[in-house]
Amino acid sequence: MKIANHKWKLTVAGLTALVLAACSAPIPGFERMERPEFAAAIPLPSGEDAGEDEQWYRTKDNLVVRNVRQPELIAFLPEPEKATGAAVLVLPGGAFQILSMSTEGTEVAELLADRGIAAFVLKYRLNETPGNDLLFAAKMAGMLSSIGDGAPIEVSEPRATADALAALRLLDEDAERWSLDRARIGMIGFSAGAMTALNVVEEGKPWGPDFLGYIYGPMDAAVTADTLPPMLAAIARDDELIHDRTFSLPQSWREKGGEAELLVYEDGGHGFGLGKTGTDSARFEEDLLQWLSLQVAPAE
């Protein structure tokens, strides 16, 4: 099976801040921690040796992980009396170097579960990086210093797409296990997670998402799939990674026959998660829930 593997260009300045934030030794505020135990973690088959243990870090308001080689689904299920039968696969971002597991993962899932939507955070496989923090920082600094300031670099990880496809297929095949409606299983991806979600749509599998949240992913992506789910795209004008301001993806989506809504916030930067306090992006949580309410409503 050929896996969609679009390569995406990110600016050096933004990626430097994003990637080096994962290194606890040179960056104050990032602390190494033991792998957290998630009560509802479901391993996914990867077909490869898990290899070296992944590295986890705690910050003031987030948990991040790198060197993921064993993909997992982490389930957040609503109380039975709240359950709507709808489900969402949540894909955190991190330039395929790290995963922002709290602000773009578990916090999103908890919000959805509280609204009666079963949510599953996907911890997907990432680009391999040195296990030692200082070596990781040195490698990234060396790579970035070789590129002119402001020049774009390409990021991709086809295994992330494979993991997302496997996760959606599992949700479809085992829908009864979680009392899910197979016609209301969607995806929400942030940054690299949004890129991965778009790759999944391009695969055109019958168990593909029924709706798609595309949150601060590249806006100049080309759409080739013939069948497109309803999409919500969201981005801030001051996003330091995504410089394209044509917002051509939603327009391309519509031209291919899909429904697409675009939310553009005046400020909030890249990685605002459910919304950054004190910025226009703080409205995103409410906007997302309003859009989702239309997508997860049972068909009459």
Side-chain angles (χ1 to χ4, degrees):
M1 177 176 67
K2 183 178 180 181
I3 299 295
N5 184 31
H6 297 298
K7 293 183 178 180
W8 310 89
K9 293 184 177 181
L10 301 177
T11 62
V12 173
L15 189 62
T16 301
L18 179 65
V19 172
L20 293 186
C23 306
S24 63
I27 305 294
F30 285 76
E31 177 186 358
R32 274 270 198 149
M33 60 177 287
E34 295 295 321
R35 180 192 186 281
E37 294 300 325
F38 296 102
I42 306 161
L44 295 174
S46 65
E48 61 181 73
D49 185 354
E52 185 180 356
D53 291 340
E54 57 200 26
Q55 289 86 48
W56 284 83
Y57 306 84
R58 179 185 292 108
T59 74
K60 179 181 178 182
D61 57 4
N62 203 4
L63 294 181
V64 298
V65 61
R66 64 186 182 91
N67 276 334
V68 174
R69 294 178 178 84
Q70 173 56 61
E72 288 182 319
L73 271 182
I74 304 168
F76 291 79
L77 303 178
E79 297 296 329
E81 63 273 15
K82 289 185 175 182
T84 63
V88 170
L89 180 64
V90 182
L91 278 64
F96 301 112
Q97 308 296 310
I98 64 173
L99 289 179
S100 180
M101 290 296 291
S102 295
T103 59
E104 297 174 351
T106 59
E107 292 178 11
V108 179
E110 288 169 352
L111 173 71
L112 299 184
D114 188 57
R115 299 309 194 277
I117 302 171
F120 300 82
V121 178
L122 178 60
K123 190 188 72 175
Y124 54 84
R125 285 173 289 176
L126 300 171
N127 297 170
E128 183 175 354
T129 56
N132 179 276
D133 289 341
L134 293 176
L135 291 178
F136 173 54
K139 177 183 177 181
M140 296 310 301
M143 181 186 75
L144 296 173
S145 66
S146 66
I147 306 172
D149 186 29
I153 65 174
E154 293 183 344
V155 295
S156 67
E157 178 48 85
R159 297 179 305 166
T161 302
D163 294 343
L165 285 165
L168 279 176
R169 185 164 192 170
L170 177 64
L171 296 183
D172 182 77
E173 291 179 344
D174 288 3
E176 289 82 3
R177 174 181 175 185
W178 297 290
S179 300
L180 307 181
D181 180 352
R182 289 186 174 87
R184 293 184 291 146
I185 300 176
M187 299 179 73
I188 298 176
F190 296 80
S191 193
M195 302 172 191
T196 300
L198 183 56
N199 284 340
V200 167
V201 171
E202 295 283 16
E203 288 288 317
K205 301 299 181 184
W207 60 87
D210 297 299
F211 51 90
L212 173 67
Y214 186 84
I215 316 305
Y216 41 82
M219 287 294 170
D220 58 347
V223 181
T224 63
D226 294 323
T227 303
L228 298 172
M231 177 183 70
L232 174 69
I235 195 168
R237 290 190 185 277
D238 63 346
D239 191 306
E240 60 270 31
L241 293 189
I242 311 299
H243 284 196
D244 178 82
R245 293 294 179 266
T246 64
F247 306 131
S248 58
L249 175 60
Q251 181 60 31
S252 173
W253 204 269
R254 299 185 194 105
E255 290 174 354
K256 294 284 288 186
E259 299 176 16
E261 181 176 343
L262 173 64
L263 301 176
V264 181
Y265 300 104
E266 288 303 314
D267 56 352
H270 192 81
F272 57 71
L274 289 170
K276 184 177 180 181
T277 302
T279 73
D280 191 37
S281 73
R283 298 188 290 117
F284 175 62
E285 179 177 321
E286 181 179 349
D287 292 341
L288 173 64
L289 290 174
Q290 182 177 359
W291 179 79
L292 278 175
S293 67
L294 302 176
Q295 309 310 315
V296 305
E300 297 181 357

